[in-house]
Amino acid sequence: MMHRSKRVMIADDDPGILDCLSIMLEYDGYEVSSTLNGANLLRLGDDLPDLLLLDTWMSGVDGRDVCAYLKGNEPTKKIPIIMISASKDVEASALQAGADAFLEKPFEMDDLLSKVEQYIG
């Protein structure tokens, strides 16, 4: 299934996870950009993704703070944000921060792809 021109940005401080998610999403037809540093999301400028996959715990930055910031900002508040974390405990606080959805690591790629599709398919 091709999703031409749909852009997904991934923010995770684990390069292995970034590579894996990028490959899967690109294979599914998405255009993918990624960052290891969550602080980069605070200065996205005009080049906005259609969807953001955001890790909850990144070195130096809490993904929930980034999520709340983006959801509270006019240019970025409509971007769907799917938060990912190895800890189920953070699901409630992720959703409270404004995340549209939450996935617990490890997750099945099919679950990720169907969640992405749900928001921008």
Side-chain angles (χ1 to χ4, degrees):
M1 181 171 323
M2 294 304 278
H3 310 274
R4 271 188 250 310
S5 81
K6 292 291 185 181
R7 297 180 50 232
V8 176
M9 182 167 206
I10 309 164
D12 197 306
D13 59 1
D14 181 331
I17 290 177
L18 282 186
D19 288 348
C20 177
L21 292 178
S22 296
I23 290 164
M24 289 302 298
L25 288 162
E26 284 167 0
Y27 181 79
D28 212 46
Y30 294 100
E31 221 182 288
V32 179
S33 59
S34 62
T35 181
L36 288 161
N37 181 352
N40 290 337
L41 301 175
L42 305 177
R43 350 173 242 283
L44 278 176
D46 296 331
D47 197 21
L48 300 175
D50 294 301
L51 181 134
L52 177 61
L53 283 176
L54 178 59
D55 186 26
T56 307
W57 306 112
M58 286 179 284
S59 44
V61 180
D62 187 317
R64 292 166 295 183
D65 294 339
V66 172
C67 179
Y69 171 82
L70 294 173
K71 288 298 189 178
N73 229 343
E74 194 56 45
T76 52
K77 71 179 187 186
K78 288 191 168 53
I79 298 172
I81 297 176
I82 299 173
M83 295 202 74
I84 49 181
S85 176
S87 167
K88 184 101 177 106
D89 304 348
V90 298
E91 180 173 9
S93 57
L95 298 174
Q96 195 175 357
D100 295 275
F102 181 87
L103 275 174
E104 186 180 359
K105 295 178 191 171
F107 47 78
E108 296 294 321
M109 284 315 295
D110 288 348
D111 293 343
L112 173 72
L113 294 172
S114 66
K115 220 169 254 291
V116 168
E117 171 106 3
Q118 182 184 335
Y119 289 98
I120 62 170

